[in-house]
Amino acid sequence: MAAISRTIDEFVHGRILFPFSSLLYNRRAILRNYQELTRSEFYPEEVLREIQFTRLKALLEFSRDYIPFYRERFKQIGFDLRDLREIEDLKHIPPLSRQEVIDFHGEMVDHRRKASIAPANESARYPGTPIPFALFRKHKLVRNTSSGSTGAPTVFYEDGSRTALNWVHELRLKNWYGIPPGAREARMVRISTDYMPKSGVVRFRKSLWNQLLLPGVNLADKDYAVCLEAVKKFRPRVLWGFTSAVAGFAEFVKRTAADISPFRPELVVGWAAPLYEHEEKLMREVFGCHVSSIYGAREVGHIAGRCAHGSFHLNQENLLVEHNNGNGNPEWGNLGEILVTTLDLSPMPFIRYRMGDVGEIGAARCECGRNLQVISNLLGRTGEIFIAKDNRMISPNFWCRTFMSSKISGAVNRFQVVYTKDKDLRIKIERASGYSDETEQYIREMVTKNFSTDTGLEIVYVPKIEPQVSGKYQMVVNQAL
């Protein structure tokens, strides 16, 4: 009987209430696009490439005709759409930098929507907050910003279509783990614990979307305790959240030996920051379920999601993702900076947008059988990749493996590595009860073994490592750039 009740509940929320209410926000065709993606992900690779190429041509034509910034860019470089014979010809267009988006975001909007920019800028709503009944309004543009974790935040505009694609890609990710639309889920988002009981948005999403919103930034034990009681009552099948928030929640449950038997999720998904090995290990141990991750950015949406076999599959039907092979640095080999082109005809498209992340794009060779391309090596942000004094490349995963060692387990609450301008190391450590002289000695031995002998090391003990303004924890700070 309980299974039948759950099936009905998920059908009502996932097939009726969620898509209908989303439509009122001008987020259209979510279910139709989701159903199409569940088929297209198994298309042959050449068919997926053809879909991309067809959509790319339409995007470039749209950008030439309606986006002042791209019209001028194409004119400056002498780019003619008749010269576009294959996807690789896109490389004739220079990459788009964050600074260009900051400087020219008004000119990157469809000129037919120009009158909607001012109302979007003047809105008192928090950036990214949808417009109620936008489907019926003249001005549908929503002003949004990036988190600003890489510097000054970028400003961009959308009309609900980009957010709709994010929902579609999330539905597909859940489907990879056998979870249907409308299943109960909890989301650790950018709200405070005090905001929860008095927010109409929280009540709306819980009743109409089967989504429990939880605090996800600046969390202390009292906040984690509130999250724990809430999920035990709601019993979501999926737990989403900022990677640092979900990892912090898992650490709280483990440290306090809390009883989570009423809450047994089937899937935990981290986003907005890399999911490092030590964090994934902790989540699997505590929650006893699949752990996945979404790679993306607010500007371009969800780029890739990780399947149960560990592959980061690109949302290839709606995005074209490249990497600058070698990125001009011979130590990087086939790695390069990730570039993203949004293939939907949104009011503000991004063409070859520089993500600031380092990785490698390859064909799918995954046991799951999906033919979507994969990010085979996603090492982190360009600033997190360190070229040591002896030209050795050190990725953030080196520090994950170092602090995952059994010799450190239970000794460190959080750490942050600072690469100084002189290419020396400063490691900030938030000590746990198990920290000892042997712990410090092990860290020094790992540095001695893996860095050149003239690399300086300073270990600094701090009471707390604070998150960035965005709520993310920065594992590596590179002052050597």
Side-chain angles (χ1 to χ4, degrees):
M1 198 66 185
I4 296 175
S5 177
R6 188 177 78 172
T7 300
I8 294 173
D9 177 68
E10 291 174 348
F11 179 86
V12 170
H13 284 90
R15 304 286 176 171
I16 301 173
L17 296 178
F18 173 68
F20 177 72
S21 56
S22 295
L23 179 62
L24 297 180
Y25 287 129
N26 202 41
R27 299 168 178 176
R28 310 183 187 204
I30 290 176
L31 281 182
R32 185 175 73 240
N33 288 335
Y34 159 65
Q35 289 162 352
E36 173 56 33
L37 290 191
T38 60
R39 296 188 293 268
S40 60
E41 63 190 21
F42 294 105
Y43 289 171
E45 293 177 35
E46 58 271 20
V47 175
L48 287 167
R49 293 274 289 177
E50 184 59 35
I51 290 173
Q52 284 185 303
F53 186 56
T54 299
R55 300 195 68 187
L56 177 62
K57 288 190 292 185
L59 169 73
L60 295 179
E61 183 176 346
F62 168 81
S63 300
R64 178 199 62 195
D65 294 343
Y66 300 115
I67 310 294
F69 175 85
Y70 289 118
R71 183 188 305 125
E72 182 61 27
R73 168 157 285 191
F74 294 171
K75 186 184 300 183
Q76 287 178 351
I77 65 174
F79 180 75
D80 191 322
L81 282 177
R82 290 172 295 186
D83 297 330
L84 188 75
R85 296 184 175 87
E86 58 184 358
I87 287 178
E88 284 67 26
D89 291 332
L90 183 64
K91 293 181 179 178
H92 295 303
I93 300 175
L96 176 68
S97 70
R98 290 180 186 273
Q99 191 59 50
E100 286 178 308
V101 178
I102 292 171
D103 294 341
F104 302 109
H105 59 270
E107 298 169 39
M108 292 181 64
V109 178
D110 184 337
H111 71 77
R112 297 169 297 178
R113 309 282 191 99
K114 186 175 181 180
S116 297
I117 294 178
N121 288 338
E122 294 164 4
S123 172
R125 298 183 185 90
Y126 186 81
T129 302
I131 302 172
F133 301 103
L135 181 67
F136 309 107
R137 294 179 184 251
K138 177 181 178 181
H139 298 300
K140 298 179 173 62
L141 283 190
V142 174
R143 181 183 184 272
N144 206 341
T145 65
S146 67
S147 65
S149 59
T150 58
T154 57
V155 174
F156 60 99
Y157 304 90
E158 68 121 354
D159 61 354
S161 56
R162 184 67 47 75
T163 301
L165 280 180
N166 283 343
W167 289 125
V168 170
H169 294 148
E170 289 179 20
L171 289 176
R172 169 156 74 178
L173 178 68
K174 288 190 293 185
N175 184 63
W176 292 350
Y177 294 88
I179 299 172
R184 289 190 174 197
E185 54 189 48
R187 291 174 174 251
M188 303 182 76
V189 298
R190 193 169 280 107
I191 63 173
S192 67
T193 302
D194 294 338
Y195 177 82
M196 286 176 57
K198 59 188 178 183
S199 168
V201 173
V202 172
R203 293 192 296 271
F204 169 89
R205 291 179 66 159
K206 185 176 181 181
S207 59
L208 294 185
W209 292 5
N210 246 355
Q211 292 180 356
L212 173 66
L213 298 187
L214 300 170
V217 292
N218 301 323
L219 301 174
D221 278 5
K222 62 181 179 63
D223 304 298
Y224 289 127
V226 169
C227 292
L228 179 59
E229 291 307 310
V231 295
K232 285 165 69 174
K233 292 178 182 177
F234 192 64
R235 299 188 179 188
R237 297 179 67 181
V238 187
L239 173 64
W240 306 77
F242 300 128
T243 302
S244 58
V246 180
F249 184 33
E251 188 276 331
F252 167 80
V253 171
K254 180 179 180 179
R255 173 166 46 84
T256 60
D259 176 22
I260 62 169
S261 54
F263 164 59
R264 283 298 178 187
E266 299 168 46
L267 174 64
V268 174
V269 186
W271 56 25
L275 174 64
Y276 293 113
E277 293 174 11
H278 65 286
E279 295 170 322
E280 180 177 356
K281 180 182 178 183
L282 174 64
M283 293 179 199
R284 288 185 185 277
E285 176 187 347
V286 170
F287 299 121
C289 67
H290 289 291
V291 176
S292 184
S293 179
I294 287 178
Y295 169 58
R298 291 192 198 177
E299 302 94 303
V300 299
H302 297 336
I303 298 169
R306 202 177 73 170
C307 75
H309 291 273
S311 295
F312 254 114
H313 290 283
L314 300 177
N315 292 312
Q316 191 176 344
E317 303 93 335
N318 296 310
L319 296 158
L320 178 61
V321 186
E322 318 163 66
H323 71 279
N324 275 340
N325 197 1
N327 207 43
N329 191 327
E331 288 86 2
W332 290 20
N334 291 327
L335 296 170
E337 186 177 9
I338 302 295
L339 307 176
V340 175
T341 298
T342 54
L343 297 177
D344 57 309
L345 304 185
S346 72
M348 186 172 173
F350 288 77
I351 300 176
R352 307 198 77 213
Y353 184 49
R354 299 182 63 181
M355 292 295 296
D357 295 313
V358 177
E360 181 179 358
I361 310 302
R365 297 291 183 268
C366 183
E367 294 179 24
C368 73
R370 296 174 180 89
N371 291 318
L372 302 170
Q373 288 179 304
V374 299
I375 303 179
S376 52
N377 287 299
L378 186 58
L379 296 187
R381 307 205 67 80
T382 53
E384 295 177 335
I385 309 298
F386 183 64
I387 305 300
K389 292 181 179 181
D390 59 358
N391 289 324
R392 194 179 318 184
M393 185 180 75
I394 306 294
S395 78
N397 282 330
F398 165 77
W399 297 108
C400 294
R401 289 189 292 270
T402 297
F403 282 86
M404 276 177 64
S405 167
S406 58
K407 297 182 179 180
I408 293 185
S409 178
V412 175
N413 285 333
R414 193 176 294 277
F415 68 92
Q416 185 179 71
V417 178
V418 179
Y419 297 122
T420 71
K421 291 182 180 180
D422 297 325
K423 292 196 171 185
D424 292 323
L425 301 176
R426 184 183 307 116
I427 302 178
K428 297 180 180 179
I429 293 179
E430 194 181 306
R431 287 177 288 190
S433 58
Y435 199 91
S436 66
D437 291 343
E438 287 73 21
T439 308
E440 179 177 320
Q441 182 61 32
Y442 174 76
I443 295 171
R444 291 187 179 278
E445 288 174 357
M446 289 298 293
V447 170
T448 301
K449 181 191 295 186
N450 290 279
F451 287 79
S452 58
T453 55
D454 58 345
T455 299
L457 171 62
E458 178 187 12
I459 296 179
V460 181
Y461 299 112
V462 296
K464 185 176 181 182
I465 296 175
E466 298 291 346
Q468 299 171 283
V469 175
S470 64
K472 303 175 187 177
Y473 284 92
Q474 195 170 2
M475 186 176 71
V476 172
V477 177
N478 195 343
Q479 298 176 347
L481 293 175

